[in-house]
Amino acid sequence: MDTTRAKAEGAVTDGFDRAAAAYDRLVAGSPGYHAHLRISARRLDAGALSPEPRILDLGCGTGASTAALLHAVPSSRIVGVDASEGMLEAARAKPWPDAVSFHRARAEELTPEWAAERLGGPVDAVFGAYLIRNCPDPDLALRVMRDLLRPGGRLVLHEYSVADSAAARAVWTAVCHGVIIPAGRALSGSGDLFRYLWRSVLEFDGRRALLERMRRAGLDPVASAPMPGWQYGVTHTFAGARPAEGR
């Protein structure tokens, strides 16, 4: 990783560390936040997984996505992973069943050997909520996620994507400047992370571009579906699978 990219990545992680204490209060005020995570978690298609699936929750933050996964797949064993120790401390402070654990790491650093040590083998599913946009090398991150999956395993990304729609970009900017940035500044003492959030979404892939990234990473088939409500066209589920052996 070059020095400029490393500094930028470190600044984002530091921003999440500082915002961790207020993060749950911030997202609680976002209409549909938890309900939308549960929608994407259900799109893992629990019926296609093993009876007690092994799931990696990458970019788990304070555990909102972990809770959504437990709601959708209550029989699962889940390892939550995040680069921010502050967010992980908030996650670990919550009550969880024994089948849930949390580890600090960056998504790009994970290996099949790491998954075998913590989960007993390749995983049935990888879930990444608001993750891929924050990865310094999204293509590398997607290849890593693909390699962590068993053949036929599923990847679901829950992510903002507005580049394909002028209307979605306008809605996103209005919500950020009218609600998210002021609320973030008031609750965390700084608006820096929330201004980064606004810019990063505007600069990120459109829906078609992200699906193509997933294909290049070796995921097939891939598909996307929107969220309902005001986030229609703003937030999406992106799903893909590692091809079964022999394909």
Side-chain angles (χ1 to χ4, degrees), residues 33-222:
Y33 184 90
H34 293 287
H36 290 169
L37 283 173
R38 289 195 293 271
I39 289 171
S40 282
R42 288 196 298 272
R43 288 172 176 167
L44 276 172
D45 188 10
L49 304 178
S50 62
E52 296 181 351
R54 298 184 290 253
I55 300 177
L56 273 179
D57 181 16
L58 299 186
C60 64
T62 63
S65 53
T66 315
L69 288 167
L70 277 176
H71 186 272
V73 195
S75 64
S76 59
R77 181 179 175 192
I78 302 172
V79 172
V81 175
D82 204 279
S84 166
E85 186 59 37
M87 300 292 266
L88 288 172
E89 287 177 2
R92 292 184 183 117
K94 299 172 182 177
W96 300 102
D98 292 341
V100 174
S101 61
F102 295 95
H103 297 271
R104 184 180 183 185
R106 298 188 186 281
E108 300 92 333
E109 299 170 348
L110 303 185
T111 64
E113 292 75 20
W114 183 96
E117 179 181 346
R118 287 161 179 79
L119 283 162
V123 300
D124 295 279
V126 172
F127 190 80
Y130 307 115
L131 167 73
I132 194 68
R133 170 178 42 85
N134 292 312
C135 292
D137 188 338
D139 294 311
L140 171 60
L142 286 167
R143 291 194 300 271
V144 167
M145 293 178 209
R146 187 251 185 212
D147 289 346
L148 292 167
L149 290 168
R150 63 165 174 79
R154 291 179 59 77
L155 166 69
V156 163
L157 304 175
H158 178 86
E159 188 56 87
Y160 300 116
S161 178
V162 301
D164 293 340
S165 168
R169 292 196 299 274
V171 168
W172 175 246
T173 292
V175 170
C176 282
H177 286 279
V179 179
I180 294 174
I181 295 171
R185 184 186 303 114
L187 288 173
S188 71
S190 171
D192 291 349
L193 179 64
F194 308 97
R195 285 190 292 271
Y196 160 79
L197 170 64
W198 166 61
R199 290 193 305 270
S200 70
V201 172
L202 291 180
E203 294 167 359
F204 188 58
D205 290 349
R207 184 185 60 82
R208 291 184 292 270
L210 182 50
L211 290 172
E212 181 55 32
R213 277 191 197 270
M214 295 170 69
R215 291 189 189 96
R216 290 200 306 269
L219 296 158
D220 180 47
V222 299

